[in-house]
Amino acid sequence: MSKIRFVCIVGGFVPLLTIGSAAAGQHELNQSRTLVDVVRDATAQFVDPEVAVAAGYVPKPFCVSGPDQGAMGVHLVNPALVTDGQLDPERPESLVYESKNGRLRLVAVEYIVFADAWNARNAQPPALFGQLLNYIAAPNRYGNPNFYELHVWAWKDNPFGTFVDWNPRVSCAGHSPDN
């Protein structure tokens, strides 16, 4: 093969390699987004709880507190999302707020899917970004049938971990149902 022909063949592949590398880099960039990143982007609008209520989230009148492990906080739950049997990282079923000084502050989200609905469509247990959801059997303190859930502390640090239910830095002490 002549040198000129070899240079043309190699030269023709260089743009293809560059395009392939750029596409691979874009894929890696997308893969580097975490569930916390997705939650923050998807729920930034709900920092204002009135926006959450307008979007179909219903405030629960109580604050969920642990016996000695901190609290979860006040949940605003979207019934349509809870009962659809699906999980979408950009549409959490519940928004979790801490009630302090008469104001609600967004601290986390909770993904919830009823076990029967999930299991009817899926062979594997639910997971988001590789994080398995926790199974909660009935009867439970919430009065729900068997369900899977996952908290994501995207708006307030949890020293126990990003996906742990209870946060020792959250308190129900300042909560009143009127908040």
Side-chain angles (χ1 to χ4, degrees):
M1 181 177 333
S2 73
K3 288 183 183 181
I4 295 173
R5 189 177 203 191
F6 179 73
V7 169
C8 289
I9 292 172
V10 171
F13 281 118
V14 170
L16 294 176
L17 292 173
T18 304
I19 292 169
S21 296
Q26 181 65 36
H27 179 68
E28 289 171 16
L29 178 66
N30 288 340
Q31 291 294 346
S32 68
R33 286 182 44 86
T34 66
L35 182 54
V36 171
D37 295 329
V38 171
V39 167
R40 283 186 184 143
D41 289 347
T43 61
Q45 63 186 323
F46 301 128
V47 167
D48 180 348
E50 290 182 23
V51 173
V53 170
Y57 288 88
V58 178
K60 297 298 178 183
F62 50 85
C63 184
V64 180
S65 183
D68 60 0
Q69 303 169 339
M72 290 180 194
V74 177
H75 291 63
L76 276 67
V77 179
N78 187 316
L81 295 176
V82 171
T83 58
D84 71 4
Q86 301 176 27
L87 290 171
D88 179 348
E90 294 183 349
R91 298 180 67 202
E93 287 75 12
S94 180
L95 305 169
V96 184
Y97 294 81
E98 182 174 27
S99 181
K100 199 177 242 184
N101 300 324
R103 297 186 57 170
L104 292 176
R105 181 176 166 252
L106 184 61
V107 292
V109 303
E110 184 178 14
Y111 294 96
I112 304 164
V113 63
F114 290 135
D116 288 347
W118 180 266
N119 296 336
R121 293 189 203 166
N122 302 279
Q124 300 298 317
L128 292 169
F129 284 66
Q131 184 66 43
L132 288 172
L133 277 70
N134 303 304
Y135 178 77
I136 308 296
N140 52 62
R141 70 192 277 175
Y142 312 105
N144 289 330
N146 300 333
F147 68 100
Y148 297 99
E149 64 83 24
L150 178 69
H151 283 83
V152 180
W153 295 93
W155 293 98
K156 185 167 189 162
D157 183 53
N158 185 347
F160 289 166
T162 303
F163 306 111
V164 176
D165 287 345
W166 306 102
N167 188 333
R169 294 185 177 152
V170 173
S171 171
C172 289
H175 177 67
S176 128
D178 300 325
N179 289 359

Coordinates of all heavy atoms in Angstrom, one line a residue, residues 58-123:
V58 N -49.9 16.4 49.0 CA -50.8 16.7 50.1 C -50.1 16.6 51.4 O -49.4 15.6 51.7 CB -52.0 15.6 50.1 CG1 -52.9 15.8 51.3 CG2 -52.7 15.6 48.8
P59 N -50.1 17.7 52.2 CA -49.4 17.7 53.5 C -50.0 16.8 54.5 O -51.3 16.7 54.6 CB -49.5 19.1 54.0 CG -50.3 19.9 53.0 CD -50.8 19.0 51.9
K60 N -49.2 16.0 55.1 CA -49.7 15.2 56.3 C -49.6 16.0 57.5 O -48.6 16.8 57.7 CB -48.8 13.9 56.4 CG -48.9 13.0 55.2 CD -50.3 12.5 55.0 CE -50.4 11.6 53.8 NZ -51.7 11.2 53.5
P61 N -50.5 16.0 58.4 CA -50.5 16.9 59.6 C -49.6 16.5 60.7 O -49.5 17.2 61.7 CB -52.0 16.8 60.1 CG -52.4 15.4 59.7 CD -51.7 15.1 58.4
F62 N -48.8 15.5 60.5 CA -47.9 15.1 61.6 C -46.4 15.1 61.1 O -46.2 15.1 59.9 CB -48.3 13.7 62.1 CG -48.4 12.7 61.0 CD1 -47.4 12.0 60.4 CD2 -49.7 12.4 60.5 CE1 -47.6 11.0 59.4 CE2 -49.9 11.5 59.4 CZ -48.8 10.8 58.9
C63 N -45.5 15.1 62.0 CA -44.1 15.0 61.7 C -43.6 13.6 62.2 O -43.9 13.2 63.3 CB -43.4 16.1 62.5 SG -41.6 16.2 62.2
V64 N -42.9 12.9 61.3 CA -42.5 11.6 61.6 C -41.2 11.7 62.4 O -40.2 12.1 61.9 CB -42.3 10.7 60.4 CG1 -41.9 9.3 60.7 CG2 -43.6 10.7 59.6
S65 N -41.2 11.2 63.6 CA -40.1 11.3 64.5 C -39.7 9.9 65.0 O -40.6 9.1 65.3 CB -40.4 12.1 65.7 OG -39.3 12.3 66.6
G66 N -38.4 9.6 65.1 CA -37.9 8.3 65.6 C -37.8 8.3 67.1 O -37.7 9.4 67.7
P67 N -37.9 7.1 67.7 CA -37.8 7.1 69.2 C -36.4 7.6 69.7 O -36.4 8.2 70.7 CB -37.9 5.6 69.5 CG -37.7 4.9 68.2 CD -38.0 5.8 67.1
D68 N -35.4 7.3 69.0 CA -34.0 7.8 69.5 C -33.1 8.1 68.3 O -31.9 8.2 68.5 CB -33.4 6.9 70.5 CG -33.2 5.5 69.9 OD1 -33.5 5.2 68.7 OD2 -32.7 4.6 70.6
Q69 N -33.6 8.2 67.1 CA -32.8 8.3 65.9 C -33.0 9.5 65.1 O -32.8 9.6 63.9 CB -33.0 7.1 65.0 CG -32.7 5.7 65.7 CD -33.2 4.6 64.9 OE1 -34.1 4.7 64.0 NE2 -32.7 3.4 65.2
G70 N -33.5 10.6 65.7 CA -33.8 11.8 65.0 C -35.2 11.7 64.4 O -36.1 11.1 65.0
A71 N -35.3 12.2 63.2 CA -36.7 12.3 62.6 C -36.5 12.2 61.1 O -35.5 12.2 60.5 CB -37.3 13.6 62.9
M72 N -37.7 12.0 60.4 CA -37.8 12.1 59.0 C -38.3 13.5 58.7 O -37.7 14.2 57.8 CB -38.8 11.1 58.4 CG -38.3 9.7 58.5 SD -39.6 8.6 57.8 CE -39.0 7.0 58.4
G73 N -39.4 13.9 59.3 CA -39.9 15.2 59.1 C -41.4 15.2 58.6 O -42.0 14.1 58.8
V74 N -41.8 16.2 58.0 CA -43.2 16.4 57.6 C -43.3 16.0 56.1 O -42.5 16.5 55.3 CB -43.7 17.8 57.7 CG1 -45.1 18.0 57.2 CG2 -43.6 18.3 59.2
H75 N -44.1 15.0 55.8 CA -44.2 14.5 54.4 C -45.4 15.2 53.7 O -46.5 15.3 54.2 CB -44.4 13.0 54.4 CG -43.3 12.2 54.9 ND1 -42.8 12.3 56.2 CD2 -42.5 11.3 54.3 CE1 -41.7 11.5 56.3 NE2 -41.5 10.8 55.1
L76 N -45.1 15.6 52.5 CA -46.1 16.0 51.5 C -46.2 14.9 50.5 O -45.1 14.7 49.8 CB -45.8 17.3 50.9 CG -46.3 18.6 51.7 CD1 -45.5 18.7 53.0 CD2 -46.1 19.8 50.9
V77 N -47.3 14.2 50.4 CA -47.4 13.0 49.5 C -48.3 13.3 48.3 O -49.3 13.9 48.4 CB -47.9 11.8 50.4 CG1 -48.0 10.6 49.5 CG2 -47.0 11.6 51.6
N78 N -47.8 12.8 47.2 CA -48.6 12.9 45.9 C -49.3 11.5 45.7 O -48.7 10.6 45.3 CB -47.7 13.2 44.8 CG -48.5 13.5 43.5 OD1 -49.4 12.8 43.2 ND2 -48.1 14.5 42.8
P79 N -50.6 11.5 46.0 CA -51.3 10.2 46.0 C -51.3 9.5 44.6 O -51.2 8.3 44.5 CB -52.8 10.5 46.4 CG -52.7 11.9 47.0 CD -51.5 12.5 46.5
A80 N -51.4 10.4 43.5 CA -51.4 9.8 42.2 C -50.0 9.1 41.9 O -50.0 8.1 41.2 CB -51.6 10.9 41.2
L81 N -48.9 9.6 42.4 CA -47.6 9.0 42.2 C -47.5 7.8 43.0 O -46.9 6.8 42.6 CB -46.5 10.0 42.4 CG -46.4 11.2 41.5 CD1 -45.3 12.2 41.9 CD2 -46.2 10.8 40.1
V82 N -48.0 7.8 44.2 CA -47.9 6.6 45.1 C -48.6 5.4 44.5 O -48.2 4.3 44.6 CB -48.4 6.9 46.5 CG1 -48.5 5.7 47.4 CG2 -47.5 8.0 47.2
T83 N -49.8 5.7 43.9 CA -50.6 4.6 43.5 C -50.4 4.1 42.0 O -51.0 3.2 41.6 CB -52.1 4.9 43.7 OG1 -52.4 6.1 42.9 CG2 -52.4 5.1 45.1
D84 N -49.4 4.8 41.3 CA -49.2 4.4 39.9 C -48.4 3.2 39.7 O -48.2 2.7 38.6 CB -48.7 5.6 39.1 CG -47.2 6.0 39.5 OD1 -46.6 5.2 40.3 OD2 -46.7 7.0 38.9
G85 N -47.8 2.6 40.8 CA -47.0 1.4 40.7 C -45.6 1.6 40.0 O -45.0 0.6 39.6
Q86 N -45.2 2.8 39.8 CA -43.9 3.1 39.1 C -43.0 3.9 39.9 O -43.4 4.6 40.9 CB -44.2 3.7 37.8 CG -45.1 2.9 36.9 CD -45.5 3.7 35.6 OE1 -44.7 4.6 35.1 NE2 -46.6 3.4 35.0
L87 N -41.7 3.9 39.5 CA -40.8 4.8 40.1 C -40.1 5.7 39.0 O -39.7 5.1 38.0 CB -39.7 4.0 40.8 CG -40.1 3.3 42.1 CD1 -39.0 2.4 42.6 CD2 -40.4 4.3 43.2
D88 N -40.1 7.0 39.3 CA -39.4 7.9 38.3 C -38.5 8.8 39.2 O -39.0 9.5 40.1 CB -40.4 8.7 37.6 CG -39.8 9.7 36.6 OD1 -38.6 10.0 36.7 OD2 -40.6 10.3 35.8
P89 N -37.2 8.7 39.0 CA -36.3 9.5 39.9 C -36.6 11.0 39.8 O -36.3 11.7 40.8 CB -34.9 9.2 39.4 CG -35.1 8.5 38.1 CD -36.5 7.9 38.0
E90 N -37.2 11.5 38.8 CA -37.5 12.9 38.6 C -38.9 13.2 39.2 O -39.3 14.4 39.2 CB -37.5 13.3 37.2 CG -36.0 13.2 36.7 CD -35.9 13.7 35.2 OE1 -36.9 13.9 34.6 OE2 -34.7 13.9 34.8
R91 N -39.6 12.2 39.7 CA -41.0 12.5 40.3 C -41.1 11.7 41.6 O -41.8 10.7 41.6 CB -42.0 12.1 39.3 CG -41.9 13.0 38.0 CD -43.0 12.6 37.0 NE -44.3 13.0 37.6 CZ -45.4 12.5 37.1 NH1 -45.5 11.6 36.2 NH2 -46.6 12.9 37.7
P92 N -40.5 12.1 42.7 CA -40.6 11.4 43.9 C -42.1 11.5 44.5 O -42.8 12.5 44.3 CB -39.7 12.2 44.9 CG -39.5 13.5 44.3 CD -39.7 13.3 42.8
E93 N -42.5 10.4 45.1 CA -43.8 10.3 45.6 C -44.1 11.2 46.8 O -45.2 11.6 47.1 CB -44.2 8.8 46.0 CG -44.4 7.9 44.8 CD -43.1 7.5 44.0 OE1 -42.0 7.8 44.5 OE2 -43.2 7.0 42.9
S94 N -43.0 11.5 47.5 CA -43.2 12.3 48.8 C -42.0 13.3 48.9 O -40.9 12.9 48.6 CB -43.2 11.4 50.0 OG -43.3 12.1 51.2
L95 N -42.3 14.5 49.3 CA -41.4 15.5 49.6 C -41.3 15.6 51.1 O -42.4 15.6 51.8 CB -41.8 16.8 49.0 CG -42.0 16.8 47.5 CD1 -42.7 18.1 47.1 CD2 -40.7 16.6 46.7
V96 N -40.1 15.7 51.7 CA -40.0 15.7 53.2 C -39.4 17.1 53.6 O -38.4 17.5 53.1 CB -39.1 14.6 53.6 CG1 -39.0 14.5 55.1 CG2 -39.5 13.2 53.1
Y97 N -40.1 17.7 54.5 CA -39.8 19.0 55.0 C -39.5 18.9 56.5 O -40.1 18.1 57.3 CB -40.9 20.0 54.8 CG -41.2 20.3 53.3 CD1 -41.9 19.4 52.6 CD2 -40.6 21.4 52.7 CE1 -42.2 19.7 51.2 CE2 -40.9 21.7 51.4 CZ -41.7 20.8 50.6 OH -41.9 21.1 49.3
E98 N -38.6 19.8 57.0 CA -38.4 20.0 58.4 C -39.2 21.3 58.8 O -39.1 22.3 58.1 CB -37.0 20.2 58.8 CG -36.7 20.3 60.3 CD -35.2 20.4 60.6 OE1 -34.4 20.8 59.8 OE2 -34.9 20.0 61.8
S99 N -40.0 21.2 59.9 CA -40.7 22.3 60.4 C -39.9 23.0 61.4 O -39.6 22.4 62.5 CB -42.1 21.8 60.9 OG -42.9 22.8 61.4
K100 N -39.6 24.3 61.2 CA -38.8 25.0 62.1 C -39.2 26.5 62.0 O -39.3 27.1 60.9 CB -37.3 24.9 61.7 CG -36.3 25.2 62.8 CD -34.9 24.9 62.3 CE -34.3 23.8 63.2 NZ -33.0 23.5 62.9
N101 N -39.4 27.1 63.2 CA -39.7 28.5 63.3 C -40.9 28.9 62.4 O -41.0 29.9 61.7 CB -38.5 29.4 62.9 CG -37.3 29.2 63.8 OD1 -37.5 29.0 65.0 ND2 -36.1 29.2 63.2
G102 N -41.9 28.0 62.4 CA -43.1 28.2 61.6 C -43.0 28.1 60.1 O -43.9 28.4 59.4
R103 N -41.9 27.6 59.7 CA -41.7 27.4 58.2 C -41.3 26.0 57.9 O -40.7 25.3 58.7 CB -40.6 28.3 57.7 CG -40.9 29.8 57.9 CD -39.9 30.7 57.3 NE -39.8 30.3 55.9 CZ -39.2 31.0 55.0 NH1 -38.5 32.1 55.4 NH2 -39.1 30.7 53.8
L104 N -41.7 25.5 56.7 CA -41.3 24.2 56.2 C -40.1 24.4 55.3 O -40.1 25.2 54.4 CB -42.4 23.5 55.5 CG -43.6 23.1 56.3 CD1 -44.7 22.6 55.4 CD2 -43.2 22.1 57.4
R105 N -39.0 23.6 55.6 CA -37.8 23.6 54.8 C -37.6 22.3 54.2 O -37.5 21.3 54.9 CB -36.6 24.0 55.7 CG -35.3 24.1 54.9 CD -34.2 24.5 55.9 NE -32.9 24.3 55.2 CZ -32.1 23.3 55.5 NH1 -32.3 22.5 56.5 NH2 -31.0 23.1 54.8
L106 N -37.5 22.2 52.8 CA -37.3 20.9 52.1 C -35.9 20.3 52.5 O -34.9 21.0 52.5 CB -37.3 21.2 50.6 CG -37.2 19.9 49.7 CD1 -38.3 19.0 49.9 CD2 -37.1 20.4 48.2
V107 N -36.0 19.0 53.0 CA -34.8 18.4 53.4 C -34.5 17.1 52.6 O -33.3 16.7 52.5 CB -34.8 18.1 54.9 CG1 -34.7 19.4 55.7 CG2 -35.9 17.3 55.4
A108 N -35.5 16.4 52.1 CA -35.4 15.1 51.5 C -36.6 14.8 50.6 O -37.5 15.6 50.6 CB -35.2 14.0 52.6
V109 N -36.5 13.7 50.0 CA -37.6 13.1 49.2 C -37.7 11.6 49.7 O -36.8 11.1 50.2 CB -37.5 13.2 47.7 CG1 -37.3 14.6 47.3 CG2 -36.4 12.3 47.2
E110 N -38.9 11.1 49.4 CA -39.1 9.7 49.7 C -39.8 9.1 48.4 O -40.8 9.6 48.0 CB -39.9 9.4 50.9 CG -40.1 7.9 51.2 CD -40.9 7.7 52.5 OE1 -41.5 8.6 53.0 OE2 -40.8 6.5 53.0
Y111 N -39.1 8.0 47.9 CA -39.7 7.3 46.8 C -40.5 6.1 47.5 O -40.0 5.5 48.4 CB -38.7 6.7 45.9 CG -37.9 7.8 45.2 CD1 -36.7 8.3 45.6 CD2 -38.5 8.3 44.0 CE1 -36.1 9.3 45.0 CE2 -37.8 9.3 43.3 CZ -36.6 9.8 43.8 OH -36.0 10.8 43.2
I112 N -41.8 5.9 47.0 CA -42.7 4.9 47.6 C -43.4 4.2 46.4 O -43.9 4.8 45.5 CB -43.8 5.6 48.4 CG1 -43.1 6.5 49.5 CG2 -44.7 4.6 49.0 CD1 -44.1 7.5 50.2
V113 N -43.4 2.9 46.5 CA -44.2 2.1 45.6 C -44.8 0.9 46.3 O -44.1 0.3 47.1 CB -43.3 1.7 44.3 CG1 -42.2 0.7 44.7 CG2 -44.2 1.0 43.3
F114 N -46.1 0.7 46.1 CA -46.7 -0.5 46.8 C -46.1 -1.7 46.2 O -46.0 -1.9 45.0 CB -48.2 -0.4 46.6 CG -48.9 0.7 47.4 CD1 -49.8 1.5 46.9 CD2 -48.5 1.0 48.7 CE1 -50.4 2.5 47.6 CE2 -49.1 2.0 49.5 CZ -50.0 2.8 48.9
A115 N -45.8 -2.7 47.1 CA -45.1 -3.9 46.7 C -46.0 -4.7 45.7 O -45.4 -5.2 44.7 CB -44.8 -4.8 47.9
D116 N -47.3 -4.9 45.9 CA -48.1 -5.7 45.0 C -48.0 -5.1 43.6 O -47.9 -5.9 42.6 CB -49.5 -5.8 45.5 CG -49.6 -6.8 46.7 OD1 -48.7 -7.5 47.0 OD2 -50.7 -6.8 47.3
A117 N -48.2 -3.8 43.4 CA -48.1 -3.2 42.1 C -46.8 -3.3 41.5 O -46.7 -3.6 40.3 CB -48.5 -1.7 42.3
W118 N -45.7 -3.2 42.3 CA -44.4 -3.3 41.7 C -44.1 -4.7 41.3 O -43.6 -5.0 40.2 CB -43.3 -2.8 42.7 CG -41.9 -3.0 42.1 CD1 -41.1 -4.0 42.3 CD2 -41.3 -2.1 41.3 NE1 -39.9 -3.8 41.6 CE2 -40.0 -2.6 40.9 CE3 -41.6 -0.8 40.7 CZ2 -39.1 -2.0 40.1 CZ3 -40.7 -0.2 39.9 CH2 -39.4 -0.8 39.6
N119 N -44.4 -5.7 42.2 CA -44.1 -7.1 41.9 C -44.9 -7.6 40.8 O -44.5 -8.6 40.1 CB -44.3 -7.9 43.2 CG -43.3 -7.5 44.3 OD1 -42.3 -6.9 44.0 ND2 -43.7 -7.7 45.5
A120 N -46.1 -7.1 40.5 CA -46.9 -7.6 39.4 C -46.2 -7.3 38.0 O -46.5 -8.0 37.0 CB -48.3 -6.9 39.4
R121 N -45.4 -6.2 38.0 CA -44.8 -5.8 36.7 C -43.3 -6.1 36.6 O -42.7 -5.9 35.5 CB -45.0 -4.3 36.5 CG -46.3 -3.9 36.3 CD -46.3 -2.4 35.9 NE -47.6 -1.8 36.2 CZ -47.8 -0.5 36.3 NH1 -46.8 0.3 36.0 NH2 -48.9 0.0 36.5
N122 N -42.7 -6.4 37.7 CA -41.2 -6.5 37.8 C -40.7 -7.8 38.5 O -41.3 -8.1 39.5 CB -40.6 -5.3 38.5 CG -41.0 -4.0 37.8 OD1 -40.4 -3.6 36.8 ND2 -42.1 -3.3 38.4
A123 N -39.7 -8.4 37.9 CA -39.2 -9.6 38.6 C -38.1 -9.3 39.6 O -37.9 -10.1 40.5 CB -38.5 -10.5 37.5

